[in-house]
Amino acid sequence: MQHIEIKTLSELARVSMDIYRRHSDIKVWLLYGEMGAGKTTFISQLLSSIGLSDAVSSPTFAIVNEYATPEGEAIYHLDCYRLRDTQEAVASGLEEILHSGKWCLIEWPQVMEPLLWGEVLCIEICKKNTTRSLKVNTKKYE
């Protein structure tokens, strides 16, 4: 497990890119953290760092936002906060997205966990006053 302390937004851009370089082969990233911890900000900084020019926003009400890399590859940003359970995730078509082989960045991923398989990247973001603490590790589901 990797522990990272972040004090500024510019550090977040650098750290997100470093995590991407180390783990770009993993297509499913799970972002954990309380409301306001910085999950959407992390994703926004990460996608900006890899060259995405689209404005990144939380898909809290839409549940899914789809972006494209400069090369045209789809990136799915899911916010599962409003989902009640795994069945609702399946009914919403999220299982299909999850297993599409495309990059999936998932906020509030708890309801998706029963649908996971293979290696995923887990990022837990904790807010401490003006700093953020990130715990980064991989997990394998079978």
Side-chain angles (χ1 to χ4, degrees):
M1 181 177 298
Q2 182 181 15
H3 294 271
I4 306 164
E5 293 292 324
I6 298 173
K7 295 179 182 164
T8 66
L9 193 59
S10 62
E11 283 183 84
L12 183 57
R14 180 188 52 76
V15 166
S16 66
M17 191 60 183
D18 182 53
I19 293 170
Y20 174 76
R21 284 187 189 113
R22 292 175 186 232
H23 301 287
S24 63
D25 59 319
I26 299 174
K27 294 295 185 181
V28 177
W29 291 25
L30 311 177
L31 287 97
Y32 298 89
E34 294 180 2
M35 187 78 67
K39 298 176 296 294
T40 302
T41 302
F42 175 90
I43 290 172
S44 178
Q45 290 292 310
L46 171 65
L47 296 181
S48 177
S49 295
I50 65 167
L52 192 80
S53 59
D54 295 341
V56 174
S57 62
S58 176
T60 301
F61 295 102
I63 301 175
V64 179
N65 284 348
E66 182 177 346
Y67 306 108
T69 66
E71 296 79 28
E73 183 178 344
I75 297 172
Y76 295 104
H77 177 191
L78 288 68
D79 184 329
C80 300
Y81 181 76
R82 293 182 54 226
L83 298 177
R84 291 183 301 258
D85 53 35
T86 304
Q87 288 86 5
E88 190 174 3
V90 171
S92 299
L94 300 184
E95 183 175 27
E96 186 176 314
I97 289 171
L98 182 64
H99 299 295
S100 68
K102 304 297 181 189
W103 203 18
C104 294
L105 307 169
I106 308 171
E107 298 183 45
W108 305 98
Q110 292 84 343
V111 300
M112 299 295 284
E113 288 175 348
L115 304 174
L116 296 172
W117 55 271
E119 189 174 31
V120 302
L121 185 68
C122 301
I123 301 170
E124 182 181 347
I125 304 174
C126 297
K127 182 179 179 183
K128 298 177 185 175
N129 298 320
T130 59
T131 64
R132 301 291 190 275
S133 172
L134 275 68
K135 294 178 186 174
V136 182
N137 67 304
T138 58
K139 185 173 183 179
K140 189 147 187 138
Y141 287 88
E142 297 190 28

